[in-house]
PDB file of all heavy atoms in Angstrom:
ATOM      1  N   GLN A   1      63.083  31.915  98.993  1.00 94.00           N
ATOM      2  CA  GLN A   1      62.520  32.754 100.054  1.00 94.00           C
ATOM      3  C   GLN A   1      63.606  33.210 101.012  1.00 94.00           C
ATOM      4  O   GLN A   1      64.611  32.518 101.209  1.00 94.00           O
ATOM      5  CB  GLN A   1      61.463  31.958 100.830  1.00 94.00           C
ATOM      6  CG  GLN A   1      60.127  31.839 100.127  1.00 94.00           C
ATOM      7  CD  GLN A   1      59.037  31.346 101.070  1.00 94.00           C
ATOM      8  OE1 GLN A   1      59.295  30.484 101.897  1.00 94.00           O
ATOM      9  NE2 GLN A   1      57.849  31.900 100.944  1.00 94.00           N
ATOM     10  N   ARG A   2      63.380  34.378 101.591  1.00 95.00           N
ATOM     11  CA  ARG A   2      64.304  34.876 102.598  1.00 95.00           C
ATOM     12  C   ARG A   2      64.172  34.002 103.845  1.00 95.00           C
ATOM     13  O   ARG A   2      63.071  33.713 104.308  1.00 95.00           O
ATOM     14  CB  ARG A   2      63.991  36.334 102.908  1.00 95.00           C
ATOM     15  CG  ARG A   2      65.067  37.072 103.638  1.00 95.00           C
ATOM     16  CD  ARG A   2      64.806  38.562 103.645  1.00 95.00           C
ATOM     17  NE  ARG A   2      64.990  39.147 102.316  1.00 95.00           N
ATOM     18  CZ  ARG A   2      64.972  40.448 102.073  1.00 95.00           C
ATOM     19  NH1 ARG A   2      64.766  41.298 103.069  1.00 95.00           N
ATOM     20  NH2 ARG A   2      65.139  40.905 100.860  1.00 95.00           N
ATOM     21  N   GLU A   3      65.315  33.625 104.393  1.00 96.00           N
ATOM     22  CA  GLU A   3      65.360  32.698 105.527  1.00 96.00           C
ATOM     23  C   GLU A   3      65.943  33.390 106.754  1.00 96.00           C
ATOM     24  O   GLU A   3      66.989  34.057 106.648  1.00 96.00           O
ATOM     25  CB  GLU A   3      66.232  31.487 105.153  1.00 96.00           C
ATOM     26  CG  GLU A   3      66.536  30.533 106.294  1.00 96.00           C
ATOM     27  CD  GLU A   3      67.583  29.500 105.938  1.00 96.00           C
ATOM     28  OE1 GLU A   3      68.625  29.870 105.366  1.00 96.00           O
ATOM     29  OE2 GLU A   3      67.377  28.318 106.258  1.00 96.00           O
ATOM     30  N   LEU A   4      65.289  33.195 107.896  1.00 98.00           N
ATOM     31  CA  LEU A   4      65.850  33.710 109.144  1.00 98.00           C
ATOM     32  C   LEU A   4      67.027  32.829 109.543  1.00 98.00           C
ATOM     33  O   LEU A   4      66.877  31.617 109.720  1.00 98.00           O
ATOM     34  CB  LEU A   4      64.801  33.714 110.251  1.00 98.00           C
ATOM     35  CG  LEU A   4      65.289  34.112 111.640  1.00 98.00           C
ATOM     36  CD1 LEU A   4      65.864  35.524 111.658  1.00 98.00           C
ATOM     37  CD2 LEU A   4      64.157  33.976 112.657  1.00 98.00           C
ATOM     38  N   VAL A   5      68.170  33.455 109.727  1.00 98.00           N
ATOM     39  CA  VAL A   5      69.379  32.736 110.116  1.00 98.00           C
ATOM     40  C   VAL A   5      69.559  32.768 111.625  1.00 98.00           C
ATOM     41  O   VAL A   5      69.807  31.735 112.260  1.00 98.00           O
ATOM     42  CB  VAL A   5      70.620  33.349 109.441  1.00 98.00           C
ATOM     43  CG1 VAL A   5      71.896  32.664 109.910  1.00 98.00           C
ATOM     44  CG2 VAL A   5      70.492  33.286 107.922  1.00 98.00           C
ATOM     45  N   ALA A   6      69.437  33.946 112.201  1.00 98.00           N
ATOM     46  CA  ALA A   6      69.622  34.106 113.640  1.00 98.00           C
ATOM     47  C   ALA A   6      68.956  35.398 114.076  1.00 98.00           C
ATOM     48  O   ALA A   6      68.854  36.341 113.298  1.00 98.00           O
ATOM     49  CB  ALA A   6      71.109  34.132 114.009  1.00 98.00           C
ATOM     50  N   SER A   7      68.525  35.425 115.332  1.00 98.00           N
ATOM     51  CA  SER A   7      67.938  36.643 115.881  1.00 98.00           C
ATOM     52  C   SER A   7      68.308  36.764 117.343  1.00 98.00           C
ATOM     53  O   SER A   7      68.685  35.776 118.000  1.00 98.00           O
ATOM     54  CB  SER A   7      66.417  36.648 115.709  1.00 98.00           C
ATOM     55  OG  SER A   7      65.820  35.609 116.470  1.00 98.00           O
ATOM     56  N   ILE A   8      68.190  37.988 117.850  1.00 98.00           N
ATOM     57  CA  ILE A   8      68.516  38.253 119.245  1.00 98.00           C
ATOM     58  C   ILE A   8      67.617  39.366 119.754  1.00 98.00           C
ATOM     59  O   ILE A   8      67.409  40.373 119.082  1.00 98.00           O
ATOM     60  CB  ILE A   8      70.013  38.610 119.397  1.00 98.00           C
ATOM     61  CG1 ILE A   8      70.389  38.781 120.871  1.00 98.00           C
ATOM     62  CG2 ILE A   8      70.397  39.843 118.571  1.00 98.00           C
ATOM     63  CD1 ILE A   8      71.901  38.826 121.100  1.00 98.00           C
ATOM     64  N   THR A   9      67.056  39.183 120.941  1.00 96.00           N
ATOM     65  CA  THR A   9      66.213  40.207 121.531  1.00 96.00           C
ATOM     66  C   THR A   9      67.062  41.229 122.283  1.00 96.00           C
ATOM     67  O   THR A   9      68.268  41.041 122.483  1.00 96.00           O
ATOM     68  CB  THR A   9      65.206  39.593 122.503  1.00 96.00           C
ATOM     69  OG1 THR A   9      65.921  39.123 123.666  1.00 96.00           O
ATOM     70  CG2 THR A   9      64.453  38.437 121.866  1.00 96.00           C
ATOM     71  N   ARG A  10      66.415  42.285 122.722  1.00 93.00           N
ATOM     72  CA  ARG A  10      67.130  43.313 123.502  1.00 93.00           C
ATOM     73  C   ARG A  10      67.740  42.721 124.762  1.00 93.00           C
ATOM     74  O   ARG A  10      68.735  43.246 125.279  1.00 93.00           O
ATOM     75  CB  ARG A  10      66.169  44.423 123.914  1.00 93.00           C
ATOM     76  CG  ARG A  10      65.801  45.382 122.832  1.00 93.00           C
ATOM     77  CD  ARG A  10      64.867  46.435 123.386  1.00 93.00           C
ATOM     78  NE  ARG A  10      65.481  47.154 124.508  1.00 93.00           N
ATOM     79  CZ  ARG A  10      64.800  47.734 125.477  1.00 93.00           C
ATOM     80  NH1 ARG A  10      63.481  47.672 125.495  1.00 93.00           N
ATOM     81  NH2 ARG A  10      65.417  48.387 126.446  1.00 93.00           N
ATOM     82  N   PHE A  11      67.142  41.644 125.252  1.00 94.00           N
ATOM     83  CA  PHE A  11      67.596  41.066 126.508  1.00 94.00           C
ATOM     84  C   PHE A  11      68.506  39.864 126.301  1.00 94.00           C
ATOM     85  O   PHE A  11      68.835  39.168 127.257  1.00 94.00           O
ATOM     86  CB  PHE A  11      66.392  40.725 127.369  1.00 94.00           C
ATOM     87  CG  PHE A  11      65.495  41.908 127.586  1.00 94.00           C
ATOM     88  CD1 PHE A  11      64.297  42.032 126.893  1.00 94.00           C
ATOM     89  CD2 PHE A  11      65.885  42.937 128.431  1.00 94.00           C
ATOM     90  CE1 PHE A  11      63.486  43.140 127.073  1.00 94.00           C
ATOM     91  CE2 PHE A  11      65.083  44.049 128.616  1.00 94.00           C
ATOM     92  CZ  PHE A  11      63.885  44.152 127.936  1.00 94.00           C
ATOM     93  N   GLY A  12      68.880  39.624 125.041  1.00 95.00           N
ATOM     94  CA  GLY A  12      69.897  38.624 124.769  1.00 95.00           C
ATOM     95  C   GLY A  12      69.415  37.232 124.431  1.00 95.00           C
ATOM     96  O   GLY A  12      70.229  36.314 124.289  1.00 95.00           O
ATOM     97  N   MET A  13      68.123  37.051 124.291  1.00 97.00           N
ATOM     98  CA  MET A  13      67.617  35.728 123.903  1.00 97.00           C
ATOM     99  C   MET A  13      67.888  35.525 122.415  1.00 97.00           C
ATOM    100  O   MET A  13      67.592  36.391 121.603  1.00 97.00           O
ATOM    101  CB  MET A  13      66.137  35.614 124.194  1.00 97.00           C
ATOM    102  CG  MET A  13      65.800  35.578 125.676  1.00 97.00           C
ATOM    103  SD  MET A  13      64.038  35.357 125.962  1.00 97.00           S
ATOM    104  CE  MET A  13      63.770  33.761 125.202  1.00 97.00           C
ATOM    105  N   THR A  14      68.433  34.369 122.083  1.00 98.00           N
ATOM    106  CA  THR A  14      68.850  34.114 120.713  1.00 98.00           C
ATOM    107  C   THR A  14      68.097  32.951 120.081  1.00 98.00           C
ATOM    108  O   THR A  14      67.568  32.069 120.768  1.00 98.00           O
ATOM    109  CB  THR A  14      70.352  33.818 120.638  1.00 98.00           C
ATOM    110  OG1 THR A  14      70.656  32.678 121.466  1.00 98.00           O
ATOM    111  CG2 THR A  14      71.173  35.008 121.096  1.00 98.00           C
ATOM    112  N   TYR A  15      68.082  32.990 118.767  1.00 98.00           N
ATOM    113  CA  TYR A  15      67.526  31.898 117.958  1.00 98.00           C
ATOM    114  C   TYR A  15      68.479  31.672 116.793  1.00 98.00           C
ATOM    115  O   TYR A  15      69.026  32.622 116.238  1.00 98.00           O
ATOM    116  CB  TYR A  15      66.149  32.270 117.402  1.00 98.00           C
ATOM    117  CG  TYR A  15      65.726  31.388 116.257  1.00 98.00           C
ATOM    118  CD1 TYR A  15      65.112  30.167 116.481  1.00 98.00           C
ATOM    119  CD2 TYR A  15      65.990  31.766 114.936  1.00 98.00           C
ATOM    120  CE1 TYR A  15      64.757  29.343 115.421  1.00 98.00           C
ATOM    121  CE2 TYR A  15      65.643  30.948 113.875  1.00 98.00           C
ATOM    122  CZ  TYR A  15      65.031  29.736 114.123  1.00 98.00           C
ATOM    123  OH  TYR A  15      64.694  28.918 113.076  1.00 98.00           O
ATOM    124  N   TYR A  16      68.662  30.384 116.431  1.00 98.00           N
ATOM    125  CA  TYR A  16      69.464  30.029 115.260  1.00 98.00           C
ATOM    126  C   TYR A  16      68.722  28.977 114.446  1.00 98.00           C
ATOM    127  O   TYR A  16      68.140  28.038 115.009  1.00 98.00           O
ATOM    128  CB  TYR A  16      70.813  29.440 115.666  1.00 98.00           C
ATOM    129  CG  TYR A  16      71.701  30.384 116.427  1.00 98.00           C
ATOM    130  CD1 TYR A  16      71.715  30.406 117.815  1.00 98.00           C
ATOM    131  CD2 TYR A  16      72.541  31.270 115.747  1.00 98.00           C
ATOM    132  CE1 TYR A  16      72.526  31.280 118.517  1.00 98.00           C
ATOM    133  CE2 TYR A  16      73.358  32.144 116.432  1.00 98.00           C
ATOM    134  CZ  TYR A  16      73.351  32.144 117.817  1.00 98.00           C
ATOM    135  OH  TYR A  16      74.156  33.014 118.501  1.00 98.00           O
ATOM    136  N   VAL A  17      68.783  29.110 113.154  1.00 98.00           N
ATOM    137  CA  VAL A  17      68.278  28.046 112.296  1.00 98.00           C
ATOM    138  C   VAL A  17      69.224  26.849 112.452  1.00 98.00           C
ATOM    139  O   VAL A  17      70.426  27.014 112.703  1.00 98.00           O
ATOM    140  CB  VAL A  17      68.181  28.523 110.837  1.00 98.00           C
ATOM    141  CG1 VAL A  17      69.555  28.745 110.229  1.00 98.00           C
ATOM    142  CG2 VAL A  17      67.346  27.572 110.014  1.00 98.00           C
ATOM    143  N   ASP A  18      68.698  25.661 112.332  1.00 98.00           N
ATOM    144  CA  ASP A  18      69.479  24.452 112.608  1.00 98.00           C
ATOM    145  C   ASP A  18      70.773  24.387 111.797  1.00 98.00           C
ATOM    146  O   ASP A  18      71.808  23.926 112.289  1.00 98.00           O
ATOM    147  CB  ASP A  18      68.645  23.202 112.330  1.00 98.00           C
ATOM    148  CG  ASP A  18      67.616  22.935 113.410  1.00 98.00           C
ATOM    149  OD1 ASP A  18      67.696  23.552 114.484  1.00 98.00           O
ATOM    150  OD2 ASP A  18      66.715  22.105 113.169  1.00 98.00           O
ATOM    151  N   SER A  19      70.728  24.845 110.559  1.00 97.00           N
ATOM    152  CA  SER A  19      71.879  24.683 109.674  1.00 97.00           C
ATOM    153  C   SER A  19      73.100  25.500 110.090  1.00 97.00           C
ATOM    154  O   SER A  19      74.202  25.257 109.591  1.00 97.00           O
ATOM    155  CB  SER A  19      71.492  25.037 108.239  1.00 97.00           C
ATOM    156  OG  SER A  19      71.029  26.366 108.166  1.00 97.00           O
ATOM    157  N   VAL A  20      72.934  26.459 110.998  1.00 98.00           N
ATOM    158  CA  VAL A  20      74.081  27.285 111.409  1.00 98.00           C
ATOM    159  C   VAL A  20      74.447  27.106 112.874  1.00 98.00           C
ATOM    160  O   VAL A  20      75.435  27.693 113.339  1.00 98.00           O
ATOM    161  CB  VAL A  20      73.841  28.786 111.113  1.00 98.00           C
ATOM    162  CG1 VAL A  20      73.427  28.993 109.662  1.00 98.00           C
ATOM    163  CG2 VAL A  20      72.829  29.390 112.068  1.00 98.00           C
ATOM    164  N   LYS A  21      73.675  26.311 113.600  1.00 98.00           N
ATOM    165  CA  LYS A  21      73.966  26.117 115.029  1.00 98.00           C
ATOM    166  C   LYS A  21      75.368  25.557 115.216  1.00 98.00           C
ATOM    167  O   LYS A  21      75.779  24.630 114.528  1.00 98.00           O
ATOM    168  CB  LYS A  21      72.930  25.171 115.647  1.00 98.00           C
ATOM    169  CG  LYS A  21      71.573  25.809 115.866  1.00 98.00           C
ATOM    170  CD  LYS A  21      70.581  24.825 116.478  1.00 98.00           C
ATOM    171  CE  LYS A  21      69.225  25.481 116.692  1.00 98.00           C
ATOM    172  NZ  LYS A  21      68.223  24.517 117.224  1.00 98.00           N
ATOM    173  N   GLY A  22      76.087  26.146 116.150  1.00 98.00           N
ATOM    174  CA  GLY A  22      77.452  25.714 116.417  1.00 98.00           C
ATOM    175  C   GLY A  22      78.492  26.379 115.533  1.00 98.00           C
ATOM    176  O   GLY A  22      79.687  26.245 115.778  1.00 98.00           O
ATOM    177  N   ARG A  23      78.048  27.082 114.493  1.00 98.00           N
ATOM    178  CA  ARG A  23      78.981  27.753 113.576  1.00 98.00           C
ATOM    179  C   ARG A  23      78.836  29.267 113.606  1.00 98.00           C
ATOM    180  O   ARG A  23      79.830  29.982 113.464  1.00 98.00           O
ATOM    181  CB  ARG A  23      78.766  27.258 112.146  1.00 98.00           C
ATOM    182  CG  ARG A  23      78.958  25.773 111.961  1.00 98.00           C
ATOM    183  CD  ARG A  23      78.923  25.380 110.482  1.00 98.00           C
ATOM    184  NE  ARG A  23      77.648  25.671 109.845  1.00 98.00           N
ATOM    185  CZ  ARG A  23      77.521  26.473 108.782  1.00 98.00           C
ATOM    186  NH1 ARG A  23      78.589  27.051 108.235  1.00 98.00           N
ATOM    187  NH2 ARG A  23      76.327  26.666 108.240  1.00 98.00           N
ATOM    188  N   PHE A  24      77.609  29.754 113.744  1.00 98.00           N
ATOM    189  CA  PHE A  24      77.342  31.196 113.749  1.00 98.00           C
ATOM    190  C   PHE A  24      76.987  31.650 115.155  1.00 98.00           C
ATOM    191  O   PHE A  24      76.371  30.916 115.931  1.00 98.00           O
ATOM    192  CB  PHE A  24      76.165  31.517 112.833  1.00 98.00           C
ATOM    193  CG  PHE A  24      76.417  31.325 111.355  1.00 98.00           C
ATOM    194  CD1 PHE A  24      77.552  30.691 110.879  1.00 98.00           C
ATOM    195  CD2 PHE A  24      75.499  31.804 110.434  1.00 98.00           C
ATOM    196  CE1 PHE A  24      77.770  30.523 109.522  1.00 98.00           C
ATOM    197  CE2 PHE A  24      75.690  31.646 109.074  1.00 98.00           C
ATOM    198  CZ  PHE A  24      76.829  31.002 108.621  1.00 98.00           C
ATOM    199  N   THR A  25      77.363  32.883 115.461  1.00 98.00           N
ATOM    200  CA  THR A  25      77.012  33.494 116.738  1.00 98.00           C
ATOM    201  C   THR A  25      76.498  34.899 116.500  1.00 98.00           C
ATOM    202  O   THR A  25      77.194  35.711 115.884  1.00 98.00           O
ATOM    203  CB  THR A  25      78.215  33.541 117.683  1.00 98.00           C
ATOM    204  OG1 THR A  25      78.732  32.216 117.887  1.00 98.00           O
ATOM    205  CG2 THR A  25      77.814  34.130 119.028  1.00 98.00           C
ATOM    206  N   ILE A  26      75.301  35.172 116.997  1.00 98.00           N
ATOM    207  CA  ILE A  26      74.744  36.522 116.902  1.00 98.00           C
ATOM    208  C   ILE A  26      74.949  37.236 118.226  1.00 98.00           C
ATOM    209  O   ILE A  26      74.856  36.616 119.300  1.00 98.00           O
ATOM    210  CB  ILE A  26      73.253  36.484 116.506  1.00 98.00           C
ATOM    211  CG1 ILE A  26      72.742  37.884 116.170  1.00 98.00           C
ATOM    212  CG2 ILE A  26      72.398  35.829 117.595  1.00 98.00           C
ATOM    213  CD1 ILE A  26      71.360  37.901 115.527  1.00 98.00           C
ATOM    214  N   SER A  27      75.249  38.521 118.149  1.00 97.00           N
ATOM    215  CA  SER A  27      75.415  39.318 119.360  1.00 97.00           C
ATOM    216  C   SER A  27      74.986  40.747 119.059  1.00 97.00           C
ATOM    217  O   SER A  27      74.850  41.128 117.895  1.00 97.00           O
ATOM    218  CB  SER A  27      76.878  39.283 119.844  1.00 97.00           C
ATOM    219  OG  SER A  27      77.741  39.808 118.856  1.00 97.00           O
ATOM    220  N   ARG A  28      74.761  41.505 120.108  1.00 96.00           N
ATOM    221  CA  ARG A  28      74.393  42.896 119.903  1.00 96.00           C
ATOM    222  C   ARG A  28      74.988  43.758 121.000  1.00 96.00           C
ATOM    223  O   ARG A  28      75.218  43.286 122.114  1.00 96.00           O
ATOM    224  CB  ARG A  28      72.874  43.072 119.824  1.00 96.00           C
ATOM    225  CG  ARG A  28      72.093  42.810 121.073  1.00 96.00           C
ATOM    226  CD  ARG A  28      70.583  42.796 120.788  1.00 96.00           C
ATOM    227  NE  ARG A  28      70.042  44.123 120.591  1.00 96.00           N
ATOM    228  CZ  ARG A  28      68.768  44.369 120.248  1.00 96.00           C
ATOM    229  NH1 ARG A  28      67.931  43.356 120.055  1.00 96.00           N
ATOM    230  NH2 ARG A  28      68.342  45.617 120.099  1.00 96.00           N
ATOM    231  N   ASP A  29      75.223  45.002 120.638  1.00 95.00           N
ATOM    232  CA  ASP A  29      75.712  46.001 121.574  1.00 95.00           C
ATOM    233  C   ASP A  29      74.641  47.080 121.637  1.00 95.00           C
ATOM    234  O   ASP A  29      74.555  47.929 120.750  1.00 95.00           O
ATOM    235  CB  ASP A  29      77.057  46.557 121.087  1.00 95.00           C
ATOM    236  CG  ASP A  29      77.676  47.526 122.073  1.00 95.00           C
ATOM    237  OD1 ASP A  29      76.929  48.158 122.847  1.00 95.00           O
ATOM    238  OD2 ASP A  29      78.898  47.668 122.042  1.00 95.00           O
ATOM    239  N   ASN A  30      73.810  47.026 122.661  1.00 93.00           N
ATOM    240  CA  ASN A  30      72.685  47.964 122.751  1.00 93.00           C
ATOM    241  C   ASN A  30      73.158  49.414 122.895  1.00 93.00           C
ATOM    242  O   ASN A  30      72.507  50.332 122.425  1.00 93.00           O
ATOM    243  CB  ASN A  30      71.774  47.589 123.917  1.00 93.00           C
ATOM    244  CG  ASN A  30      71.016  46.292 123.661  1.00 93.00           C
ATOM    245  OD1 ASN A  30      70.732  45.936 122.519  1.00 93.00           O
ATOM    246  ND2 ASN A  30      70.690  45.577 124.726  1.00 93.00           N
ATOM    247  N   ALA A  31      74.285  49.618 123.517  1.00 93.00           N
ATOM    248  CA  ALA A  31      74.797  50.983 123.697  1.00 93.00           C
ATOM    249  C   ALA A  31      75.195  51.611 122.370  1.00 93.00           C
ATOM    250  O   ALA A  31      75.122  52.831 122.198  1.00 93.00           O
ATOM    251  CB  ALA A  31      75.971  50.971 124.655  1.00 93.00           C
ATOM    252  N   LYS A  32      75.624  50.769 121.432  1.00 94.00           N
ATOM    253  CA  LYS A  32      76.075  51.268 120.125  1.00 94.00           C
ATOM    254  C   LYS A  32      75.044  51.032 119.023  1.00 94.00           C
ATOM    255  O   LYS A  32      75.296  51.377 117.867  1.00 94.00           O
ATOM    256  CB  LYS A  32      77.386  50.591 119.730  1.00 94.00           C
ATOM    257  CG  LYS A  32      78.541  50.912 120.656  1.00 94.00           C
ATOM    258  CD  LYS A  32      79.816  50.228 120.192  1.00 94.00           C
ATOM    259  CE  LYS A  32      80.998  50.567 121.089  1.00 94.00           C
ATOM    260  NZ  LYS A  32      82.238  49.888 120.640  1.00 94.00           N
ATOM    261  N   ASN A  33      73.909  50.436 119.367  1.00 94.00           N
ATOM    262  CA  ASN A  33      72.872  50.123 118.375  1.00 94.00           C
ATOM    263  C   ASN A  33      73.429  49.253 117.251  1.00 94.00           C
ATOM    264  O   ASN A  33      73.175  49.504 116.068  1.00 94.00           O
ATOM    265  CB  ASN A  33      72.255  51.397 117.782  1.00 94.00           C
ATOM    266  CG  ASN A  33      71.654  52.287 118.837  1.00 94.00           C
ATOM    267  OD1 ASN A  33      71.236  51.817 119.893  1.00 94.00           O
ATOM    268  ND2 ASN A  33      71.617  53.582 118.562  1.00 94.00           N
TER     269      ASN A  33
END
């Protein structure tokens, strides 16, 4: 099954699956989409 690894809202709230915490970082640039 497809697994959610990380997500981020428009306002910067993030979620990480336990297996990647501390290793992966999600970020977004709203100005550049």
Side-chain angles (χ1 to χ4, degrees):
Q1 282 194 321
R2 196 168 290 188
E3 172 190 47
L4 175 60
V5 176
S7 65
I8 184 167
T9 70
R10 284 181 58 206
F11 305 104
M13 291 183 62
T14 58
Y15 163 85
Y16 297 94
V17 69
D18 285 347
S19 59
V20 308
K21 285 180 180 177
R23 301 188 298 121
F24 291 10
T25 303
I26 190 169
S27 60
R28 67 189 285 176
D29 184 333
N30 290 331
K32 296 181 178 179
N33 302 333

